[in-house]
Amino acid sequence: MTSYALVAPARFTLDSFARITGLHPDVVRRLVALGLIEATIAPGGRMWFTPDQVAAVARISRLRSGLSLNYAAIGVVTDLLDRIAQLEAALRARPRRTGGISWI
């Protein structure tokens, strides 16, 4: 059976993404090249961004302005923060034991 999407997935062009995030398109290209944000590149070379990448840019901007981190350090910090979130989610999903000392 064939299924069809009823609506097109939300996505932004490079120019609209740059306008939404307040960044210059060259900075957006640099963030993609560094692997800090993800983009889908169409066969013609056109970049497309999903709405969740707007949040990624906001996170990068907070780290850059709040902690004065360079882009290399931002990559390391975001990877660590993502890993911490995964570990915390796994810990919350784990069944609690009864009795004994609870460290949580």
Side-chain angles (χ1 to χ4, degrees):
M1 177 160 94
T2 304
S3 64
Y4 299 95
L6 296 177
V7 295
R11 60 185 187 165
F12 306 108
T13 63
L14 174 62
D15 290 332
S16 63
F17 186 79
R19 190 172 41 257
I20 289 167
T21 58
L23 299 176
H24 191 276
D26 290 340
V27 174
V28 174
R29 284 188 197 97
R30 182 179 306 135
L31 294 176
V32 171
L34 292 170
L36 296 175
I37 59 174
E38 296 176 6
T40 302
I41 301 178
R46 192 170 189 176
M47 292 180 150
W48 294 97
F49 299 89
T50 58
D52 60 332
Q53 295 307 301
V54 175
V57 167
R59 182 187 211 186
I60 291 166
S61 296
R62 284 191 309 272
L63 289 171
R64 187 142 168 86
S65 65
L67 299 175
S68 300
L69 298 176
N70 63 24
Y71 290 127
I74 288 173
V76 172
V77 170
T78 55
D79 288 345
L80 289 172
L81 290 173
D82 290 342
R83 182 65 180 142
I84 290 169
Q86 290 172 351
L87 292 170
E88 287 177 341
L91 188 61
R92 279 196 274 337
R94 202 174 81 189
R96 292 187 173 215
R97 298 180 204 191
T98 57
I101 298 173
S102 174
W103 297 101
I104 300 175

